[in-house]
Amino acid sequence: VQDAGLIFLSAMANTIANAILSEGGSVEEVISTTLVILSLGTATLGLVLMLLGKFRLLDIVSYLPMPVIGGYLAFIGYFCLEAGVALCIGKPMTTISDWAYLLEPHSLLLATPGLLAALILTIISRKATNDAVLPTAMVAIPAFFYLIMFLCSVTLDEARDSGWIGEETPPVAPKELIHLVDFNLVHWSMIKECMGTWVGMLFVVAFASTLDIAAVSIDMGKPLDTNKEMVTVGAANFMSGCLFGFTGSYIFSQTIFTYRTGCHSRLVGVFIMAAYLFVCVSPINILSVAPLFFLGSTLIFIGYDLLWEWLIDIREKLFLMEYLTLAFTFIAIQILGMDFGILFGVVVAVIDHVASTTRISSLQRVTKRSRAVWSNDHWQMLQLHGYHPSNPKIITLELSGPVFFGSSQKVMDEIMEEIGLSVSEDEIKNMSDASPHTSTHISGLRRNSFSIKRVQTKRKVALPRYVVIDVSEMHLLDASAATSCFGQLAKLCQKRGIFLFAAGVLPRIEWILRSHEVSLKFEEEVEWKKAMLLNQVRLNGKLTLFETLFEALEFSERLLIQSMSKCRGHENLMRSDVSQMNSQLIGSDSSHHKLTYIFTNILREELSEDEKTLIDGIEPFYEETTFRGGQPIFQKDTHPDAFYIVLKGAVAVPRDRKRSEKSVNPKTLSSSNLMELSLSSSNLKAIGDDDTSTGLVSSFHNVGGIFGYCDFLLKRRRTFHAYASGDGAVVARFTGQSLEAMKRNDWPLYVIVQHLLLQASLMDLANCTCHN
């Protein structure tokens, strides 16, 4: 492709010649105009390429898939092979049908030495350990040819007549080239006629050069700065145009050949330049004395090496579809040409990426619980009913990867199987008729009897009451998947009395769900949550969103406790010790310290009165601190001098900025107080790309929540931020000095605190799925 621009120069030359001759101009005018305008086009092309490289506008090549570039490299290998054979037989070869020349005995005889010599050079380049072996072999091949001629008494003229050596042509003195241009005969008006062709040449040469740079970089195994290399290409074209030369790019075969011979010195370029000058001024035509098969073998050698590396060796380094993309690119370039062949390869790579992405999204069922501190009665109720091993009322699913039109059917199918939903024929018909212009998963079931059978024949199990889907790792959701997957799923769950919640929703995905009415508007959702806690509303057929997984689980647990308590006729069970304290129902006349209630519920065991009395005396060993909403309790990467227990309000832990890619505004962190449940993105703008959206929260710690203890115990710097949420928070701060004082002065209390930290660690570990 170093000669890709010559195609456009040829078109420009034809335009100039046809226009001048049709007006009655002379051949001298055609030659002068052509040489001047083509060289001027080359110089301006070089100048533009230099500007493109200078302003770093060519990084687009880094987005080309590696298999596409591999197919291009394989084509370069085939091109070198074809050109080498053509040089051996002395006939042009530009199409696949030209290989028929080798069916002629004489052409086959001329090509065989070149093919064998190239094979020898390829073996030597791959097997030899000494750098001098390959250059020696390249000198020995023509020397052996001349030795054979001498022994067989064959003259140069006889070898030339047989096609072994190129035709002899009369030399042309360099000074005669200057007389070809006469500026007085130049038709400057032809510049306008050639402008469109020049623009096309600019794009093709720039693109071809970036491909050459990428190919050289991959073959060398070293990174190259595309923009810097393009400045070099532009400078070369500019100087070439100023000296009446024509456009070009890297001579790929020469570059790779030089690299593979182990010659990495710039003196190689100086030597080649001197050799070209010698050929230009020499009265002897090198093609008339050098064996053609040897010149062809150097090209065939490069062709062998590239074809073997990018069609054979590469197979073990690529997945099957990547290799097929490479092969399709290689074949497409042969049929469609370089530009459209590369474009075809990119399209194939994109289709493969989309098809692969549909299989990336994964769904798994996990066992997690909220971080709420419940009384022992409520804990047992959740243990027996909410998280029963075989028939749980609350199930948690983790969904990761992209969900879009290509994978939504698979994701919905998996969710339905995990929940145990079955779909009747009437539901399929009704839901299809409700959306006649949309091809959804449900409408697809109507046409797919196998899917119907698979869903309906799932074993009968008790359906859960609350389904929480953690979508914090679902980084992509399109509109069609939002409606056809989650919208339809919410309607199915409503008919079966199942609450469907989604937690950890990213701002863009939240906007899609709300704008397509898969979820309620934010204000409506907040009111619905409040009404649900007061048992004033029922299911709404919408996907309810929560900021964090633990917030959704706590909401589910409260609804379950509320429903189970009513069934048993024990309304007062809803008011656990901790919830009473959070509602400020514990007054100064409480029989025990407020931390005693927290310790009792976290440890979930009956503490003796003596142990409760010990905990009542904990006040000298901690500091009670009040933080206003949005105020940092501690910052990431700071010294961990204490751990904390929430006494009132809530504490928010924002996501790491690398995950959310947005900084967190502490003032907008909402409270997870159950009467004010809300997403932190309440002020999300109507557009999905708004960068002013509030930050994402990783988790909330409500009353009784213990946080900061891992970094404190491990004596490592803080790994997260913590902010007071909503209207503020009151926390108990236990420092290292206070624990040491407790250890010395009140050993039994110190043991209880250590037991508390162990229990908190186990609860966090139980909620972690990183070990699965």
Side-chain angles (χ1 to χ4, degrees):
V1 295
Q2 60 268 18
D3 301 324
L6 296 181
I7 300 173
F8 294 88
L9 293 181
S10 175
M12 293 166 65
N14 286 332
T15 301
I16 294 171
N18 293 333
I20 294 177
L21 293 177
S22 65
E23 296 174 357
S26 63
V27 175
E28 289 75 14
E29 290 176 300
V30 172
I31 294 175
S32 295
T33 304
T34 301
L35 289 177
V36 170
I37 292 182
L38 265 59
S39 59
L40 181 62
T42 298
T44 53
L45 171 72
L47 185 61
V48 173
L49 291 179
M50 292 173 64
L51 293 175
L52 291 175
K54 181 68 175 177
F55 292 100
R56 307 192 68 81
L57 301 177
L58 296 166
D59 289 331
I60 188 173
V61 71
S62 62
Y63 295 99
L64 284 175
M66 183 267 198
V68 174
I69 298 179
Y72 166 74
L73 285 169
F75 164 74
I76 295 296
Y78 171 81
F79 179 82
C80 292
L81 174 63
E82 187 179 55
V85 173
L87 186 58
C88 290
I89 66 178
K91 297 180 180 180
M93 294 179 62
T94 57
T95 64
I96 296 178
S97 60
D98 291 334
W99 286 94
Y101 288 137
L102 297 184
L103 298 178
E104 302 173 4
H106 184 66
S107 296
L108 180 60
L109 178 65
L110 294 175
T112 300
L115 295 170
L116 294 176
L119 181 61
I120 293 173
L121 293 176
T122 303
I123 295 174
I124 290 174
S125 68
R126 290 179 170 269
K127 301 295 183 181
T129 56
N130 194 318
D131 293 339
V133 177
L134 184 60
T136 302
M138 297 185 68
V139 173
I141 290 174
F144 183 73
F145 171 76
Y146 290 122
L147 178 62
I148 295 296
M149 286 181 57
F150 176 76
L151 295 177
C152 297
S153 301
V154 177
T155 64
L156 287 176
D157 290 334
E158 292 174 340
R160 188 174 295 112
D161 293 337
S162 299
W164 295 104
I165 299 177
E167 294 292 333
E168 189 174 15
T169 57
V172 178
K175 63 180 181 180
E176 296 183 12
L177 301 176
I178 302 176
H179 301 297
L180 292 175
V181 179
D182 185 350
F183 287 97
N184 295 322
L185 300 177
V186 175
H187 290 234
W188 297 104
S189 61
M190 295 305 300
I191 294 178
K192 182 180 178 181
E193 301 295 328
C194 297
M195 185 59 66
T197 307
W198 179 87
V199 173
M201 180 177 68
L202 171 63
F203 282 102
V204 170
V205 172
F207 182 66
S209 297
T210 54
L211 286 177
D212 278 333
I213 295 169
V216 171
S217 176
I218 290 177
D219 198 80
M220 294 173 58
K222 297 180 180 179
L224 293 177
D225 187 337
T226 303
N227 294 284
K228 184 178 180 181
E229 298 296 327
M230 189 59 70
V231 171
T232 303
V233 174
N237 277 274
F238 178 75
M239 290 186 290
S240 175
C242 291
L243 298 174
F244 294 98
F246 299 145
T247 182
S249 179
Y250 284 111
I251 303 179
F252 182 85
S253 56
Q254 179 179 301
T255 304
I256 296 301
F257 177 80
T258 304
Y259 178 77
R260 297 197 176 196
T261 56
C263 301
H264 301 161
S265 173
R266 294 191 178 188
L267 293 176
V268 175
V270 176
F271 176 79
I272 292 175
M273 183 171 59
Y276 283 170
L277 289 174
F278 172 77
V279 171
C280 181
V281 301
S282 174
I284 301 175
N285 184 357
I286 189 173
L287 293 179
S288 63
V289 296
L292 294 179
F293 82 88
F294 169 69
L295 298 178
S297 67
T298 58
L299 284 173
I300 297 172
F301 159 54
I302 299 298
Y304 280 164
D305 211 44
L306 288 175
L307 286 171
W308 180 267
E309 181 171 352
W310 291 101
L311 289 181
I312 306 300
D313 281 350
I314 198 66
R315 176 63 190 92
E316 299 178 355
K317 303 176 183 178
L318 298 177
F319 293 114
L320 176 60
M321 283 307 302
E322 289 181 319
Y323 182 76
L324 291 178
T325 301
L326 186 152
F328 288 148
T329 304
F330 172 68
I331 296 172
I333 293 176
Q334 307 281 355
I335 301 173
L336 305 176
M338 185 191 69
D339 294 332
F340 288 104
I342 292 291
L343 181 60
F344 179 83
V346 171
V347 171
V348 172
V350 169
I351 294 174
D352 173 54
H353 173 72
V354 172
S356 300
T357 304
T358 61
R359 301 188 294 268
I360 290 177
S361 56
S362 63
L363 183 79
Q364 64 173 340
R365 187 166 174 173
V366 296
T367 302
K368 290 191 175 183
R369 304 183 64 147
S370 76
R371 288 174 171 166
V373 181
W374 301 107
S375 66
N376 190 56
D377 291 337
H378 290 168
W379 177 269
Q380 294 299 328
M381 187 182 298
L382 292 174
Q383 193 75 359
L384 292 175
H385 301 281
Y387 301 103
H388 191 276
S390 58
N391 295 311
K393 293 297 182 182
I394 303 173
I395 68 171
T396 305
L397 305 175
E398 284 186 351
L399 180 59
S400 60
V403 179
F404 60 106
F405 63 91
S407 61
S408 59
Q409 181 171 339
K410 167 179 171 288
V411 170
M412 184 173 178
D413 202 21
E414 292 178 350
I415 294 176
M416 291 173 63
E417 289 186 10
E418 288 292 345
I419 297 176
L421 286 179
S422 60
V423 185
S424 66
E425 288 283 359
D426 291 337
E427 285 179 317
I428 295 173
K429 182 178 183 302
N430 293 336
M431 299 189 75
S432 298
D433 294 340
S435 181
H437 303 292
T438 305
S439 178
T440 65
H441 168 69
I442 299 300
S443 62
L445 288 178
R446 190 177 185 180
R447 300 185 299 269
N448 190 339
S449 59
F450 173 76
S451 295
I452 295 174
K453 181 179 179 181
R454 179 176 57 175
V455 174
Q456 289 183 337
T457 57
K458 182 174 177 63
R459 63 187 180 88
K460 299 294 182 180
V461 295
L463 294 178
R465 179 66 172 166
Y466 309 95
V467 176
V468 180
I469 305 177
D470 183 3
V471 296
S472 58
E473 297 299 326
M474 183 181 70
H475 56 272
L476 174 64
L477 177 73
D478 64 4
S480 59
T483 55
S484 64
C485 179
F486 292 103
Q488 300 282 22
L489 184 62
K491 294 176 182 177
L492 286 174
C493 289
Q494 179 194 20
K495 292 185 177 182
R496 289 154 179 79
I498 300 175
F499 291 85
L500 185 64
F501 303 145
V505 185
L506 298 178
R508 286 177 58 88
I509 296 177
E510 179 190 351
W511 173 76
I512 290 176
L513 293 172
R514 296 195 192 281
S515 61
H516 288 272
E517 299 183 356
V518 177
S519 299
L520 293 173
K521 299 299 182 184
F522 176 78
E523 294 77 10
E524 297 174 356
E525 189 174 72
V526 171
E527 294 301 320
W528 181 85
K529 291 176 181 177
K530 292 180 179 179
M532 279 302 304
L533 291 172
L534 298 175
N535 199 27
Q536 295 176 348
V537 294
R538 297 189 179 276
L539 286 166
N540 55 14
K542 301 292 184 180
L543 178 66
T544 307
L545 307 183
F546 290 87
E547 178 69 26
T548 70
L549 173 63
F550 300 112
E551 187 180 3
L553 288 173
E554 183 173 350
F555 188 79
S556 303
E557 291 171 358
R558 284 190 179 269
L559 292 181
L560 179 62
I561 293 174
Q562 179 176 295
S563 62
M564 296 296 297
S565 299
K566 286 190 175 183
C567 292
R568 297 183 181 187
H570 297 290
E571 294 269 352
N572 60 338
L573 286 179
M574 269 303 295
R575 298 171 58 186
S576 66
D577 294 333
V578 178
S579 63
Q580 290 179 32
M581 182 177 64
N582 197 31
S583 304
Q584 298 181 348
L585 297 177
I586 296 181
S588 56
D589 58 342
S590 298
S591 58
H592 291 289
H593 192 279
K594 48 192 171 185
L595 279 177
T596 305
Y597 294 97
I598 293 176
F599 278 44
T600 302
N601 289 328
I602 292 179
L603 295 176
R604 292 194 302 279
E605 59 184 29
E606 291 296 331
L607 297 178
S608 65
E609 285 300 320
D610 292 340
E611 291 173 325
K612 291 181 180 180
T613 302
L614 281 174
I615 302 174
D616 289 340
I618 200 173
E619 192 161 346
F621 301 106
Y622 75 88
E623 303 172 3
E624 186 171 308
T625 309
T626 302
F627 295 89
R628 63 182 182 276
Q631 183 179 358
I633 297 175
F634 58 73
Q635 298 282 354
K636 185 178 179 180
D637 293 326
T638 57
H639 178 67
D641 58 345
F643 73 90
Y644 302 83
I645 300 177
V646 182
L647 300 179
K648 182 180 179 182
V651 173
V653 177
R655 290 188 189 276
D656 186 79
R657 184 178 298 185
K658 292 181 179 179
R659 294 185 59 193
S660 64
E661 298 181 354
K662 298 180 185 291
S663 59
V664 175
N665 181 3
K667 295 182 180 180
T668 62
L669 292 176
S670 59
S671 172
S672 62
N673 189 310
L674 291 174
M675 294 304 294
E676 299 176 356
L677 284 171
S678 63
L679 287 170
S680 65
S681 49
S682 58
N683 61 346
L684 192 66
K685 302 295 185 288
I687 57 175
D689 298 302
D690 180 37
D691 288 334
T692 63
S693 303
T694 57
L696 300 175
V697 177
S698 174
S699 63
F700 285 109
H701 293 277
N702 299 319
V703 173
I706 307 175
F707 63 98
Y709 60 91
C710 286
D711 296 331
F712 172 73
L713 295 176
L714 294 175
K715 297 181 180 179
R716 66 184 182 188
R717 302 185 74 83
R718 298 289 187 190
T719 55
F720 58 91
H721 303 277
Y723 296 93
S725 178
D727 297 330
V730 179
V731 299
R733 181 171 180 267
F734 291 84
T735 64
Q737 292 88 349
S738 64
L739 287 182
E740 285 297 325
M742 186 188 302
K743 184 177 180 180
R744 292 192 304 268
N745 303 324
D746 199 335
W747 174 258
L749 179 59
Y750 178 79
V751 172
I752 295 176
V753 171
Q754 293 299 314
H755 190 188
L756 178 78
L757 295 178
L758 176 61
Q759 184 70 18
S761 301
L762 293 176
M763 292 171 65
D764 277 349
L765 182 61
N767 279 329
C768 177
T769 56
C770 56
H771 56 275
N772 289 339

